[in-house]
Amino acid sequence: MSALHNYAAYGLHICADRPIELAAAFGPQGTPDIQFDLRGCQYTADPDLPDEPRSGFNRMDDGSGAMMWFTGSGRLDFRINAAADRVSVSGYQTNSHEMSLLLLGQVFGVVLRMRRILSLHACALNLDGCAVAVLGASGVGKSTLAAHLASNGAPVLADDVTAILESGDGHMVQPGFPAMKFWPDTLKLSNVAADAQDRVFNFTDKRVLPLRTGGQSSEWQFQPTPLPMRGIFVLQGRRADLSYPIAEKLDPIAAVPVLMANRSSLMCALGPKVDGQELKSMARLAGAVPVWSITCPDDVGNLAASVDLLHRCLDGCKTGTAA
């Protein structure tokens, strides 16, 4: 029998029959929350696959779970059982690095939602000892802002998938895995050589940047322990007519549909029952954690001003004078 590998991600203990690249190692303690069967995945290239990457999701009609599939630099099927405590992978991929990113990203977003764990498509960072989430549509600058924060000493809890556990202590953001994904232009702004980083997939120029898990430097650090959620920042489209970023605190009722639209793996329809439960959870989150709409200038030279605005929002929340 092959050796088992134990990891921690999103507040869950994972046990896998093959190594998962980039995942945070975890000493085996008790029964795992979820088991990954990776033996069905082979690492070979297939020249007959379509040039354009494709993906799909199906819930099993018999209630036995769900399946996600991806093509591009391989063909992988991820079968998730109904309890979302076992994921079986089959197919082939260019390398284990790409399989791991799919597993820890889009697939885990579905696993969390199936397990009724609140999950946002957002980057979460440690600001002043508490967690903040940065979210928004593609192209609004959330990765650029997150890179600026991380490169200037804000430890990162999660990149694309932010898992939030509700408890008597409030909403706790769980660490994901120690890596972030960026386009080369974003890395250049942070003085990181893109060519020195692996591609996320061989069909894209986006790169994966491993995070530090210790050491003296405060740059690009991973936050390995959960933190209480203190604020959520929703980035809007950048505006050329602005000289400085502006913030608007959203009413909890207005914030709920915004949060619902930014759930992890939203393209995977899990049914009205899950939607209803998530709506109630998002309403509790919006009622407990302030949500701000942030509009930034179309000028990356103003990133420091955007960070200052985030801090002022959080400080104002503590004193009752939030924007």
Side-chain angles (χ1 to χ4, degrees), residues 215-238:
Q216 298 296 319
S217 176
S218 63
E219 298 178 351
W220 304 111
Q221 284 282 348
F222 179 60
Q223 170 66 40
T225 55
L227 291 176
M229 174 71 90
R230 185 174 168 194
I232 299 172
F233 297 98
V234 184
L235 299 191
Q236 307 299 326
R238 290 177 284 194

Side-chain angles (χ1 to χ4, degrees), residues 82-94:
D85 60 8
R86 181 179 294 273
V87 178
S88 300
V89 185
S90 61
Y92 45 92
Q93 194 74 1
T94 302

Side-chain angles (χ1 to χ4, degrees), residues 8 13 42 83 96 133 143 217 230:
H13 171 192
Q42 305 299 318
S96 60
S143 292
S217 176
R230 185 174 168 194

Side-chain angles (χ1 to χ4, degrees), residues 13 36 39 68 70 148 150-151 155-156 159 161 165 197 213 233 248 261 277 287 290 296 301 318:
H13 171 192
F36 289 157
R39 290 170 296 178
M68 301 180 73
F70 301 86
H148 182 79
S151 64
V156 178
D159 185 18
V161 178
L165 292 183
Q197 313 304 321
T213 54
F233 297 98
E248 176 189 1
Q277 292 171 334
C296 297
K318 288 191 294 185

Side-chain angles (χ1 to χ4, degrees), residues 13 19 43-44 62 77 122 126 186 200 218 220 241 289:
H13 171 192
Y43 301 118
T44 59
D62 60 2
D77 296 333
N126 175 352
T186 300
V200 174
S218 63
W220 304 111
D241 62 320
V289 177

